[in-house]
Amino acid sequence: MCMSDSEFDVVVIGGGSTGTAVARDCAMRGFRTLLLERDDIASATVGTCAGMISSGLKYRSEPDIMKMCSTEVVHLNRIARHIIMKNPILTPFRDLSDVGSDMEYVESYSEHAEERDVPEMMFLTPEATIAIEPLLHPDVVFSVYYEEFFIDPFRLCLLQALDAKRHGAEIKTYCEVIGFETVNDVIQGVVFYNRITGTTEKIGAKIVVNAAGPWAPKIAGFSGAELELRLNKGAHIILDRRVVNVGISVKALDGRYIYLFPHENTTLLGTTALDTWEDPDSLVASFDEIEYLMRSIETYIPSIRDARIIRTMAGVRPLVADWKVPEGKVTRGYQVIDHENGLISFTGGKLVMCRHMAEAVTDIVSKKLGNDSACTTHEKPLPGNEADVDVEALSAEYGVSMHALERMRARRGTEMTKILELTKDHPEWKTTICTCEPIIEAEIRYAIREEFPQTLNDLRRRLRLGTGPCQGTFCTYKAASILSEELDLQGDDFLVDILDFRAERWKGIRPSMRGEQLAQEELAQGMYSCVGNLDQSDVDYDLKPWEEGV
Ligand SMILES: Cc1cc2nc3c(=O)[nH]c(=O)nc-3n(C[C@H](O)[C@H](O)[C@H](O)COP(=O)(O)OP(=O)(O)OC[C@H]3O[C@@H](n4cnc5c(N)ncnc54)[C@H](O)[C@@H]3O)c2cc1C
């Protein structure tokens, strides 16, 4: 074991929305902070979510939570507006009996609408509804119109991590916590396996924050503490184009609400919500979930199957362990649990609340460590949100298409000028590498140099590389060669990375395939393997010591 004398005030476990928000707040309040993530930033639950920073409409039975969501939408729009989109949404009804007593949500939504700078909820006639969304079933009798905000969850986590780093935090990805060092049952240090160096390391910690989402009980267990969650599986389907003009939210076959959201250059259909005892590490969307979503949305968008499913994704909501109520009635609030042994854990929460959760836990840390600095995470902009960007002027100055730059702006904000500057010395880096998104070579090189990706999958999370209709068919090999040049990857490392990237895409595509389409795809996979010499049998995967021989 490699030992280190360095001591941190706070070690945060987990690089999802919660952990990165905690690391940012702790670092901004002056704590020596280390974030440990076993994989990449935003590689787990948060990466499978819809990215809706919602008004809390669904949780109107919990007015405090609705109010918190609304205020957090305002804060996020202040600190991260470059990665936020406003989405108009229609809830159409074909049957008046479906309306029931539910309409109280109109009032709940509208109560905080002004604060969020959106109009109050409106009722639309069938004609107005169909004019906005002609693909809707012609039997619609009326609809409700409202607006919600969406954030890029990958970029939010990354920007929080980068901002934490700018404020002095250390961010270590591919470092898996495997235990604690304790004296008299009180945590003194954290033991982790560094997957990059292949070493087990120990680091001193005054306080540890457990932001491991669905894995939080396992982390608590390392310290001897018990923690229970109500794990709730959710699946999404991604369609190959923007099917609808606006978001559509409808009652599914079982009476729950589901949604169809235009998302970047695709459409997101979701979500399911099922109590689960499956291993969160091996989840995939099931046949039942896919059919449930497709059949439900089909009752309102009859032509939905004209679009192609390009992939599915599934994740687990780490809900508060609130039992003997249907999952829809479980609080969507969060709890902070002080185990009184140096470890503080979260249960529950949502992406939209991550900053709020971080503030709550950092207040506790501050009290314990005697620091009275105020929280400023709701005021200070995240990187890239310092000013507006004139995309048209940049396009003229650097000779890159408006389309590519508009997409870059939505990821980078003001940081995009640094990327474009790179093209002055390397005009060839204006080449488009991922045509679906699109992404130019300069941005890929910038991301590799500044945003600590280790693999193609990490690049995907930073850039949306390979997430469009072609699912990486055209960009994988080009991006892999840029990555291997920048990181000096050799031989097997290079091949393993391509295989991992393809395996991750395949994991999402496979559940949606049927019959002939599946046979064709298997053939295509085989052809890529032969042409690219990607036969897995020779590749030496990097196993963790405790996995060897398994
Ligand atoms: C289908 C679905 C849709 C959703 N939609 C929305 C939505 O639209 N809006 C919204 O607000 N919320 C939504 N949510 C909820 C939201 O995604 C989650 O509440 C939130 O993302 C949880 O973030 P987290 O950081 O707590 O967990 P995670 O993102 O799971 O992060 C935990 C991290 O801990 C790491 N980790 C685990 N074990 C270790 C270890 N031993 N060492 C180091 N690191 C470790 C994991 O790798 C992971 O990266 C949705 C959830 C699902 C499943």
Side-chain angles (χ1 to χ4, degrees), residues 13-19 36-40 43-46 48-53 175-177 211-215 219 222 232 234-236 259 271 315-318 349-352:
I13 305 174
S17 47
T18 314
L36 295 171
E37 164 55 51
R38 66 175 184 169
D39 199 296
D40 182 31
S43 55
T45 319
V46 67
T48 65
C49 87
M52 182 166 171
I53 45 171
C175 287
E176 177 163 0
V177 173
W215 297 271
I219 300 290
F222 291 154
N232 184 262
H236 282 112
Y259 48 74
T271 170
V316 169
R317 300 172 186 89
K350 299 209 50 126
L351 166 71
V352 63

mmCIF file of all heavy atoms in Angstrom, residues 13-19 36-40 43-46 48-53 175-177 211-215 219 222 232 234-236 259 271 315-318 349-352, ligand 1:
data_model
loop_
_atom_site.group_PDB
_atom_site.id
_atom_site.type_symbol
_atom_site.label_atom_id
_atom_site.label_comp_id
_atom_site.label_asym_id
_atom_site.label_seq_id
_atom_site.Cartn_x
_atom_site.Cartn_y
_atom_site.Cartn_z
ATOM 1 N N ILE A 13 -16.711 11.500 -1.424
ATOM 2 C CA ILE A 13 -16.739 10.257 -2.204
ATOM 3 C C ILE A 13 -17.888 10.334 -3.204
ATOM 4 O O ILE A 13 -19.060 10.455 -2.828
ATOM 5 C CB ILE A 13 -16.916 9.017 -1.299
ATOM 6 C CG1 ILE A 13 -15.822 8.991 -0.234
ATOM 7 C CG2 ILE A 13 -16.910 7.736 -2.127
ATOM 8 C CD1 ILE A 13 -16.001 7.894 0.800
ATOM 9 N N GLY A 14 -17.553 10.291 -4.494
ATOM 10 C CA GLY A 14 -18.582 10.314 -5.542
ATOM 11 C C GLY A 14 -18.499 11.567 -6.391
ATOM 12 O O GLY A 14 -18.506 12.683 -5.870
ATOM 13 N N GLY A 15 -18.387 11.362 -7.696
ATOM 14 C CA GLY A 15 -18.271 12.490 -8.635
ATOM 15 C C GLY A 15 -19.518 12.671 -9.468
ATOM 16 O O GLY A 15 -19.452 12.998 -10.646
ATOM 17 N N GLY A 16 -20.691 12.450 -8.848
ATOM 18 C CA GLY A 16 -21.957 12.758 -9.539
ATOM 19 C C GLY A 16 -22.346 14.198 -9.271
ATOM 20 O O GLY A 16 -21.505 15.024 -8.870
ATOM 21 N N SER A 17 -23.633 14.514 -9.488
ATOM 22 C CA SER A 17 -24.070 15.896 -9.285
ATOM 23 C C SER A 17 -23.877 16.310 -7.824
ATOM 24 O O SER A 17 -23.438 17.427 -7.536
ATOM 25 C CB SER A 17 -25.527 16.062 -9.705
ATOM 26 O OG SER A 17 -26.339 15.035 -9.182
ATOM 27 N N THR A 18 -24.161 15.384 -6.891
ATOM 28 C CA THR A 18 -24.078 15.742 -5.474
ATOM 29 C C THR A 18 -22.620 15.940 -5.047
ATOM 30 O O THR A 18 -22.268 16.979 -4.471
ATOM 31 C CB THR A 18 -24.721 14.634 -4.609
ATOM 32 O OG1 THR A 18 -25.971 14.270 -5.190
ATOM 33 C CG2 THR A 18 -24.947 15.096 -3.198
ATOM 34 N N GLY A 19 -21.777 14.953 -5.352
ATOM 35 C CA GLY A 19 -20.381 15.019 -4.893
ATOM 36 C C GLY A 19 -19.625 16.204 -5.477
ATOM 37 O O GLY A 19 -18.865 16.874 -4.764
ATOM 38 N N LEU A 36 -12.965 11.898 -4.576
ATOM 39 C CA LEU A 36 -12.580 10.599 -5.123
ATOM 40 C C LEU A 36 -13.756 10.006 -5.881
ATOM 41 O O LEU A 36 -14.849 9.867 -5.325
ATOM 42 C CB LEU A 36 -12.187 9.641 -3.990
ATOM 43 C CG LEU A 36 -10.945 10.022 -3.189
ATOM 44 C CD1 LEU A 36 -10.804 9.099 -1.974
ATOM 45 C CD2 LEU A 36 -9.689 9.951 -4.052
ATOM 46 N N GLU A 37 -13.544 9.682 -7.137
ATOM 47 C CA GLU A 37 -14.583 9.058 -7.963
ATOM 48 C C GLU A 37 -13.998 7.776 -8.544
ATOM 49 O O GLU A 37 -12.911 7.791 -9.111
ATOM 50 C CB GLU A 37 -15.021 10.042 -9.068
ATOM 51 C CG GLU A 37 -15.792 9.433 -10.218
ATOM 52 C CD GLU A 37 -17.045 8.647 -9.817
ATOM 53 O OE1 GLU A 37 -17.868 9.191 -9.073
ATOM 54 O OE2 GLU A 37 -17.165 7.477 -10.253
ATOM 55 N N ARG A 38 -14.731 6.702 -8.409
ATOM 56 C CA ARG A 38 -14.166 5.404 -8.830
ATOM 57 C C ARG A 38 -14.110 5.264 -10.345
ATOM 58 O O ARG A 38 -13.397 4.423 -10.883
ATOM 59 C CB ARG A 38 -14.968 4.264 -8.243
ATOM 60 C CG ARG A 38 -16.354 4.220 -8.797
ATOM 61 C CD ARG A 38 -17.172 3.048 -8.362
ATOM 62 N NE ARG A 38 -18.433 3.160 -9.079
ATOM 63 C CZ ARG A 38 -19.332 2.231 -9.137
ATOM 64 N NH1 ARG A 38 -19.151 1.104 -8.501
ATOM 65 N NH2 ARG A 38 -20.427 2.417 -9.816
ATOM 66 N N ASP A 39 -14.916 6.048 -11.053
ATOM 67 C CA ASP A 39 -14.953 5.971 -12.517
ATOM 68 C C ASP A 39 -14.646 7.379 -13.035
ATOM 69 O O ASP A 39 -13.658 7.979 -12.655
ATOM 70 C CB ASP A 39 -16.342 5.467 -12.933
ATOM 71 C CG ASP A 39 -16.374 4.908 -14.328
ATOM 72 O OD1 ASP A 39 -16.139 5.693 -15.252
ATOM 73 O OD2 ASP A 39 -16.627 3.703 -14.505
ATOM 74 N N ASP A 40 -15.516 7.901 -13.874
ATOM 75 C CA ASP A 40 -15.321 9.275 -14.359
ATOM 76 C C ASP A 40 -16.378 10.173 -13.713
ATOM 77 O O ASP A 40 -17.394 9.688 -13.198
ATOM 78 C CB ASP A 40 -15.485 9.288 -15.888
ATOM 79 C CG ASP A 40 -15.258 10.661 -16.494
ATOM 80 O OD1 ASP A 40 -14.458 11.444 -15.936
ATOM 81 O OD2 ASP A 40 -15.886 10.969 -17.531
ATOM 82 N N SER A 43 -20.430 9.606 -14.291
ATOM 83 C CA SER A 43 -20.509 8.339 -15.018
ATOM 84 C C SER A 43 -21.622 7.431 -14.511
ATOM 85 O O SER A 43 -21.846 6.365 -15.069
ATOM 86 C CB SER A 43 -19.170 7.601 -14.913
ATOM 87 O OG SER A 43 -18.823 7.454 -13.553
ATOM 88 N N ALA A 44 -22.332 7.831 -13.443
ATOM 89 C CA ALA A 44 -23.352 6.918 -12.897
ATOM 90 C C ALA A 44 -24.753 7.514 -13.035
ATOM 91 O O ALA A 44 -25.138 7.970 -14.111
ATOM 92 C CB ALA A 44 -22.992 6.550 -11.468
ATOM 93 N N THR A 45 -25.509 7.553 -11.937
ATOM 94 C CA THR A 45 -26.930 7.924 -11.991
ATOM 95 C C THR A 45 -27.190 9.226 -12.749
ATOM 96 O O THR A 45 -28.074 9.296 -13.601
ATOM 97 C CB THR A 45 -27.484 8.096 -10.555
ATOM 98 O OG1 THR A 45 -26.963 7.062 -9.746
ATOM 99 C CG2 THR A 45 -28.994 8.089 -10.547
ATOM 100 N N VAL A 46 -26.420 10.242 -12.412
ATOM 101 C CA VAL A 46 -26.711 11.552 -12.999
ATOM 102 C C VAL A 46 -26.624 11.515 -14.528
ATOM 103 O O VAL A 46 -27.347 12.226 -15.225
ATOM 104 C CB VAL A 46 -25.800 12.647 -12.379
ATOM 105 C CG1 VAL A 46 -24.346 12.452 -12.757
ATOM 106 C CG2 VAL A 46 -26.280 14.027 -12.762
ATOM 107 N N THR A 48 -27.687 9.229 -16.360
ATOM 108 C CA THR A 48 -28.840 8.540 -16.955
ATOM 109 C C THR A 48 -30.126 9.339 -16.755
ATOM 110 O O THR A 48 -31.204 8.869 -17.078
ATOM 111 C CB THR A 48 -29.042 7.150 -16.319
ATOM 112 O OG1 THR A 48 -29.388 7.318 -14.941
ATOM 113 C CG2 THR A 48 -27.809 6.274 -16.432
ATOM 114 N N CYS A 49 -29.997 10.529 -16.178
ATOM 115 C CA CYS A 49 -31.225 11.269 -15.864
ATOM 116 C C CYS A 49 -31.632 12.165 -17.031
ATOM 117 O O CYS A 49 -30.897 12.332 -17.991
ATOM 118 C CB CYS A 49 -31.064 12.053 -14.566
ATOM 119 S SG CYS A 49 -30.367 13.683 -14.720
ATOM 120 N N ALA A 50 -32.842 12.729 -16.923
ATOM 121 C CA ALA A 50 -33.389 13.514 -18.024
ATOM 122 C C ALA A 50 -32.786 14.913 -18.087
ATOM 123 O O ALA A 50 -32.945 15.615 -19.071
ATOM 124 C CB ALA A 50 -34.909 13.610 -17.882
ATOM 125 N N GLY A 51 -32.148 15.328 -17.024
ATOM 126 C CA GLY A 51 -31.543 16.656 -17.017
ATOM 127 C C GLY A 51 -32.547 17.771 -16.787
ATOM 128 O O GLY A 51 -32.250 18.941 -17.000
ATOM 129 N N MET A 52 -33.732 17.389 -16.334
ATOM 130 C CA MET A 52 -34.755 18.418 -16.109
ATOM 131 C C MET A 52 -34.514 19.058 -14.742
ATOM 132 O O MET A 52 -34.438 18.360 -13.730
ATOM 133 C CB MET A 52 -36.127 17.766 -16.132
ATOM 134 C CG MET A 52 -37.278 18.708 -15.967
ATOM 135 S SD MET A 52 -38.752 17.775 -16.454
ATOM 136 C CE MET A 52 -40.042 18.853 -15.994
ATOM 137 N N ILE A 53 -34.340 20.367 -14.733
ATOM 138 C CA ILE A 53 -34.268 21.046 -13.435
ATOM 139 C C ILE A 53 -35.673 21.607 -13.241
ATOM 140 O O ILE A 53 -35.990 22.712 -13.624
ATOM 141 C CB ILE A 53 -33.138 22.082 -13.391
ATOM 142 C CG1 ILE A 53 -33.072 22.952 -14.644
ATOM 143 C CG2 ILE A 53 -31.802 21.390 -13.206
ATOM 144 C CD1 ILE A 53 -32.090 24.124 -14.514
ATOM 145 N N CYS A 175 -10.507 6.449 -8.910
ATOM 146 C CA CYS A 175 -10.005 6.100 -7.583
ATOM 147 C C CYS A 175 -11.175 5.596 -6.755
ATOM 148 O O CYS A 175 -12.062 6.382 -6.385
ATOM 149 C CB CYS A 175 -9.371 7.322 -6.913
ATOM 150 S SG CYS A 175 -7.780 7.729 -7.649
ATOM 151 N N GLU A 176 -11.179 4.310 -6.485
ATOM 152 C CA GLU A 176 -12.327 3.689 -5.817
ATOM 153 C C GLU A 176 -12.063 3.528 -4.321
ATOM 154 O O GLU A 176 -11.090 2.882 -3.927
ATOM 155 C CB GLU A 176 -12.607 2.325 -6.459
ATOM 156 C CG GLU A 176 -13.738 1.592 -5.768
ATOM 157 C CD GLU A 176 -14.306 0.462 -6.610
ATOM 158 O OE1 GLU A 176 -13.820 0.251 -7.738
ATOM 159 O OE2 GLU A 176 -15.224 -0.205 -6.120
ATOM 160 N N VAL A 177 -12.932 4.093 -3.518
ATOM 161 C CA VAL A 177 -12.787 3.952 -2.068
ATOM 162 C C VAL A 177 -13.100 2.506 -1.689
ATOM 163 O O VAL A 177 -14.137 1.958 -2.079
ATOM 164 C CB VAL A 177 -13.724 4.940 -1.331
ATOM 165 C CG1 VAL A 177 -13.706 4.680 0.169
ATOM 166 C CG2 VAL A 177 -13.318 6.377 -1.642
ATOM 167 N N ALA A 211 -21.165 10.857 -0.906
ATOM 168 C CA ALA A 211 -22.102 11.286 -1.957
ATOM 169 C C ALA A 211 -22.085 10.244 -3.065
ATOM 170 O O ALA A 211 -22.007 10.573 -4.243
ATOM 171 C CB ALA A 211 -21.691 12.662 -2.484
ATOM 172 N N ALA A 212 -22.166 8.977 -2.654
ATOM 173 C CA ALA A 212 -22.009 7.877 -3.617
ATOM 174 C C ALA A 212 -23.337 7.414 -4.205
ATOM 175 O O ALA A 212 -23.422 6.309 -4.763
ATOM 176 C CB ALA A 212 -21.269 6.718 -2.967
ATOM 177 N N GLY A 213 -24.391 8.224 -4.084
ATOM 178 C CA GLY A 213 -25.673 7.892 -4.724
ATOM 179 C C GLY A 213 -26.140 6.505 -4.299
ATOM 180 O O GLY A 213 -26.172 6.191 -3.097
ATOM 181 N N PRO A 214 -26.486 5.629 -5.257
ATOM 182 C CA PRO A 214 -26.995 4.298 -4.910
ATOM 183 C C PRO A 214 -25.996 3.442 -4.142
ATOM 184 O O PRO A 214 -26.368 2.448 -3.543
ATOM 185 C CB PRO A 214 -27.290 3.664 -6.279
ATOM 186 C CG PRO A 214 -27.381 4.797 -7.227
ATOM 187 C CD PRO A 214 -26.512 5.886 -6.689
ATOM 188 N N TRP A 215 -24.717 3.818 -4.183
ATOM 189 C CA TRP A 215 -23.687 3.029 -3.490
ATOM 190 C C TRP A 215 -23.420 3.572 -2.087
ATOM 191 O O TRP A 215 -22.522 3.071 -1.399
ATOM 192 C CB TRP A 215 -22.394 3.014 -4.318
ATOM 193 C CG TRP A 215 -22.589 2.334 -5.639
ATOM 194 C CD1 TRP A 215 -22.433 0.995 -5.902
ATOM 195 C CD2 TRP A 215 -23.000 2.948 -6.869
ATOM 196 N NE1 TRP A 215 -22.743 0.748 -7.220
ATOM 197 C CE2 TRP A 215 -23.083 1.926 -7.836
ATOM 198 C CE3 TRP A 215 -23.315 4.244 -7.248
ATOM 199 C CZ2 TRP A 215 -23.470 2.171 -9.153
ATOM 200 C CZ3 TRP A 215 -23.701 4.495 -8.555
ATOM 201 C CH2 TRP A 215 -23.767 3.467 -9.493
ATOM 202 N N ILE A 219 -20.678 2.376 1.105
ATOM 203 C CA ILE A 219 -19.632 3.238 1.686
ATOM 204 C C ILE A 219 -19.842 3.361 3.199
ATOM 205 O O ILE A 219 -18.896 3.240 3.977
ATOM 206 C CB ILE A 219 -19.673 4.650 1.030
ATOM 207 C CG1 ILE A 219 -19.440 4.562 -0.481
ATOM 208 C CG2 ILE A 219 -18.692 5.608 1.712
ATOM 209 C CD1 ILE A 219 -18.067 4.182 -0.911
ATOM 210 N N PHE A 222 -18.515 0.465 5.091
ATOM 211 C CA PHE A 222 -17.054 0.416 5.314
ATOM 212 C C PHE A 222 -16.689 1.006 6.687
ATOM 213 O O PHE A 222 -15.645 0.707 7.237
ATOM 214 C CB PHE A 222 -16.294 1.219 4.248
ATOM 215 C CG PHE A 222 -16.317 0.621 2.859
ATOM 216 C CD1 PHE A 222 -16.172 1.436 1.736
ATOM 217 C CD2 PHE A 222 -16.457 -0.745 2.660
ATOM 218 C CE1 PHE A 222 -16.181 0.905 0.448
ATOM 219 C CE2 PHE A 222 -16.460 -1.288 1.381
ATOM 220 C CZ PHE A 222 -16.329 -0.462 0.273
ATOM 221 N N ASN A 232 -34.734 2.950 -6.863
ATOM 222 C CA ASN A 232 -35.837 3.030 -7.797
ATOM 223 C C ASN A 232 -35.286 3.157 -9.214
ATOM 224 O O ASN A 232 -34.641 4.141 -9.556
ATOM 225 C CB ASN A 232 -36.684 4.266 -7.415
ATOM 226 C CG ASN A 232 -37.914 4.396 -8.257
ATOM 227 O OD1 ASN A 232 -37.920 5.147 -9.220
ATOM 228 N ND2 ASN A 232 -38.955 3.668 -7.904
ATOM 229 N N GLY A 234 -35.053 3.644 -13.186
ATOM 230 C CA GLY A 234 -35.700 4.433 -14.242
ATOM 231 C C GLY A 234 -34.992 4.205 -15.564
ATOM 232 O O GLY A 234 -33.765 4.150 -15.618
ATOM 233 N N ALA A 235 -35.792 4.020 -16.631
ATOM 234 C CA ALA A 235 -35.185 3.803 -17.957
ATOM 235 C C ALA A 235 -35.653 4.882 -18.930
ATOM 236 O O ALA A 235 -36.761 5.417 -18.797
ATOM 237 C CB ALA A 235 -35.557 2.424 -18.481
ATOM 238 N N HIS A 236 -34.792 5.197 -19.872
ATOM 239 C CA HIS A 236 -35.117 6.134 -20.959
ATOM 240 C C HIS A 236 -34.842 5.480 -22.301
ATOM 241 O O HIS A 236 -33.942 4.637 -22.416
ATOM 242 C CB HIS A 236 -34.225 7.374 -20.890
ATOM 243 C CG HIS A 236 -34.632 8.370 -19.860
ATOM 244 N ND1 HIS A 236 -33.884 8.619 -18.746
ATOM 245 C CD2 HIS A 236 -35.709 9.190 -19.782
ATOM 246 C CE1 HIS A 236 -34.477 9.551 -18.013
ATOM 247 N NE2 HIS A 236 -35.586 9.918 -18.618
ATOM 248 N N TYR A 259 -42.897 11.266 -20.310
ATOM 249 C CA TYR A 259 -42.597 12.434 -21.154
ATOM 250 C C TYR A 259 -41.814 12.061 -22.401
ATOM 251 O O TYR A 259 -41.136 11.023 -22.464
ATOM 252 C CB TYR A 259 -41.816 13.492 -20.364
ATOM 253 C CG TYR A 259 -40.644 12.940 -19.581
ATOM 254 C CD1 TYR A 259 -39.465 12.551 -20.211
ATOM 255 C CD2 TYR A 259 -40.720 12.819 -18.194
ATOM 256 C CE1 TYR A 259 -38.390 12.054 -19.493
ATOM 257 C CE2 TYR A 259 -39.645 12.313 -17.460
ATOM 258 C CZ TYR A 259 -38.490 11.932 -18.118
ATOM 259 O OH TYR A 259 -37.430 11.431 -17.396
ATOM 260 N N THR A 271 -40.146 8.306 -18.232
ATOM 261 C CA THR A 271 -39.253 7.300 -17.698
ATOM 262 C C THR A 271 -40.076 6.289 -16.914
ATOM 263 O O THR A 271 -41.217 6.574 -16.557
ATOM 264 C CB THR A 271 -38.179 7.928 -16.784
ATOM 265 O OG1 THR A 271 -37.447 6.928 -16.076
ATOM 266 C CG2 THR A 271 -38.769 8.876 -15.788
ATOM 267 N N GLY A 315 -30.963 3.938 -14.946
ATOM 268 C CA GLY A 315 -30.245 4.320 -13.727
ATOM 269 C C GLY A 315 -31.115 4.046 -12.515
ATOM 270 O O GLY A 315 -32.253 3.594 -12.642
ATOM 271 N N VAL A 316 -30.554 4.330 -11.348
ATOM 272 C CA VAL A 316 -31.267 4.054 -10.102
ATOM 273 C C VAL A 316 -31.362 5.328 -9.272
ATOM 274 O O VAL A 316 -30.345 5.953 -8.986
ATOM 275 C CB VAL A 316 -30.506 2.976 -9.297
ATOM 276 C CG1 VAL A 316 -31.075 2.871 -7.906
ATOM 277 C CG2 VAL A 316 -30.608 1.642 -9.985
ATOM 278 N N ARG A 317 -32.578 5.697 -8.900
ATOM 279 C CA ARG A 317 -32.748 6.865 -8.020
ATOM 280 C C ARG A 317 -32.454 6.425 -6.580
ATOM 281 O O ARG A 317 -33.091 5.470 -6.107
ATOM 282 C CB ARG A 317 -34.187 7.384 -8.097
ATOM 283 C CG ARG A 317 -34.611 7.812 -9.487
ATOM 284 C CD ARG A 317 -36.109 8.136 -9.535
ATOM 285 N NE ARG A 317 -36.534 8.419 -10.895
ATOM 286 C CZ ARG A 317 -36.966 7.504 -11.762
ATOM 287 N NH1 ARG A 317 -37.049 6.228 -11.412
ATOM 288 N NH2 ARG A 317 -37.325 7.853 -12.985
ATOM 289 N N PRO A 318 -31.532 7.113 -5.915
ATOM 290 C CA PRO A 318 -31.224 6.724 -4.519
ATOM 291 C C PRO A 318 -32.204 7.399 -3.558
ATOM 292 O O PRO A 318 -31.856 8.317 -2.825
ATOM 293 C CB PRO A 318 -29.798 7.250 -4.337
ATOM 294 C CG PRO A 318 -29.665 8.386 -5.316
ATOM 295 C CD PRO A 318 -30.670 8.203 -6.411
ATOM 296 N N GLY A 349 -32.767 13.059 -2.724
ATOM 297 C CA GLY A 349 -32.272 14.195 -3.503
ATOM 298 C C GLY A 349 -32.469 14.020 -4.991
ATOM 299 O O GLY A 349 -32.911 12.975 -5.470
ATOM 300 N N LYS A 350 -32.144 15.081 -5.716
ATOM 301 C CA LYS A 350 -32.309 15.108 -7.173
ATOM 302 C C LYS A 350 -31.202 15.972 -7.756
ATOM 303 O O LYS A 350 -30.592 16.762 -7.061
ATOM 304 C CB LYS A 350 -33.682 15.720 -7.531
ATOM 305 C CG LYS A 350 -34.837 14.926 -6.979
ATOM 306 C CD LYS A 350 -36.071 15.030 -7.815
ATOM 307 C CE LYS A 350 -35.866 14.766 -9.234
ATOM 308 N NZ LYS A 350 -36.645 13.794 -9.895
ATOM 309 N N LEU A 351 -31.054 15.847 -9.052
ATOM 310 C CA LEU A 351 -30.082 16.694 -9.744
ATOM 311 C C LEU A 351 -30.357 18.173 -9.448
ATOM 312 O O LEU A 351 -29.442 18.940 -9.122
ATOM 313 C CB LEU A 351 -30.190 16.431 -11.252
ATOM 314 C CG LEU A 351 -29.524 17.427 -12.190
ATOM 315 C CD1 LEU A 351 -28.008 17.304 -12.107
ATOM 316 C CD2 LEU A 351 -29.971 17.194 -13.621
ATOM 317 N N VAL A 352 -31.619 18.582 -9.570
ATOM 318 C CA VAL A 352 -31.959 19.995 -9.411
ATOM 319 C C VAL A 352 -31.590 20.516 -8.024
ATOM 320 O O VAL A 352 -31.367 21.702 -7.845
ATOM 321 C CB VAL A 352 -33.468 20.233 -9.726
ATOM 322 C CG1 VAL A 352 -34.362 19.499 -8.751
ATOM 323 C CG2 VAL A 352 -33.814 21.714 -9.751
HETATM 324 C C1 LIG B 1 -34.125 7.653 -14.932
HETATM 325 C C2 LIG B 1 -33.850 8.822 -14.044
HETATM 326 C C3 LIG B 1 -34.291 10.091 -14.396
HETATM 327 C C4 LIG B 1 -34.037 11.176 -13.563
HETATM 328 N N1 LIG B 1 -34.388 12.411 -13.977
HETATM 329 C C5 LIG B 1 -34.123 13.484 -13.195
HETATM 330 C C6 LIG B 1 -34.429 14.789 -13.636
HETATM 331 O O1 LIG B 1 -34.890 14.983 -14.769
HETATM 332 N N2 LIG B 1 -34.174 15.830 -12.807
HETATM 333 C C7 LIG B 1 -33.618 15.646 -11.564
HETATM 334 O O2 LIG B 1 -33.451 16.632 -10.844
HETATM 335 N N3 LIG B 1 -33.269 14.412 -11.122
HETATM 336 C C8 LIG B 1 -33.509 13.333 -11.911
HETATM 337 N N4 LIG B 1 -33.143 12.077 -11.498
HETATM 338 C C9 LIG B 1 -32.518 11.921 -10.178
HETATM 339 C C10 LIG B 1 -31.043 12.274 -10.248
HETATM 340 O O3 LIG B 1 -30.444 11.747 -11.405
HETATM 341 C C11 LIG B 1 -30.300 11.717 -9.043
HETATM 342 O O4 LIG B 1 -30.967 12.029 -7.867
HETATM 343 C C12 LIG B 1 -28.908 12.327 -8.960
HETATM 344 O O5 LIG B 1 -28.308 12.357 -10.205
HETATM 345 C C13 LIG B 1 -28.044 11.524 -8.043
HETATM 346 O O6 LIG B 1 -26.738 12.056 -8.140
HETATM 347 P P1 LIG B 1 -25.603 11.570 -7.184
HETATM 348 O O7 LIG B 1 -24.421 12.392 -7.409
HETATM 349 O O8 LIG B 1 -26.156 11.553 -5.787
HETATM 350 O O9 LIG B 1 -25.408 10.037 -7.611
HETATM 351 P P2 LIG B 1 -24.520 9.428 -8.806
HETATM 352 O O10 LIG B 1 -24.654 10.196 -10.058
HETATM 353 O O11 LIG B 1 -24.832 7.980 -8.846
HETATM 354 O O12 LIG B 1 -23.062 9.650 -8.282
HETATM 355 C C14 LIG B 1 -22.488 8.821 -7.275
HETATM 356 C C15 LIG B 1 -21.044 8.557 -7.674
HETATM 357 O O13 LIG B 1 -20.380 7.821 -6.657
HETATM 358 C C16 LIG B 1 -19.424 7.008 -7.292
HETATM 359 N N5 LIG B 1 -19.008 5.932 -6.398
HETATM 360 C C17 LIG B 1 -19.737 4.869 -5.994
HETATM 361 N N6 LIG B 1 -18.989 4.076 -5.211
HETATM 362 C C18 LIG B 1 -17.764 4.671 -5.102
HETATM 363 C C19 LIG B 1 -16.563 4.325 -4.441
HETATM 364 N N7 LIG B 1 -16.452 3.195 -3.722
HETATM 365 N N8 LIG B 1 -15.495 5.147 -4.556
HETATM 366 C C20 LIG B 1 -15.564 6.290 -5.291
HETATM 367 N N9 LIG B 1 -16.691 6.648 -5.946
HETATM 368 C C21 LIG B 1 -17.779 5.863 -5.852
HETATM 369 C C22 LIG B 1 -20.166 6.485 -8.516
HETATM 370 O O14 LIG B 1 -19.276 6.007 -9.517
HETATM 371 C C23 LIG B 1 -20.944 7.715 -8.950
HETATM 372 O O15 LIG B 1 -20.289 8.448 -9.966
HETATM 373 C C24 LIG B 1 -33.364 10.976 -12.323
HETATM 374 C C25 LIG B 1 -32.909 9.707 -11.974
HETATM 375 C C26 LIG B 1 -33.124 8.632 -12.824
HETATM 376 C C27 LIG B 1 -32.592 7.285 -12.450
#
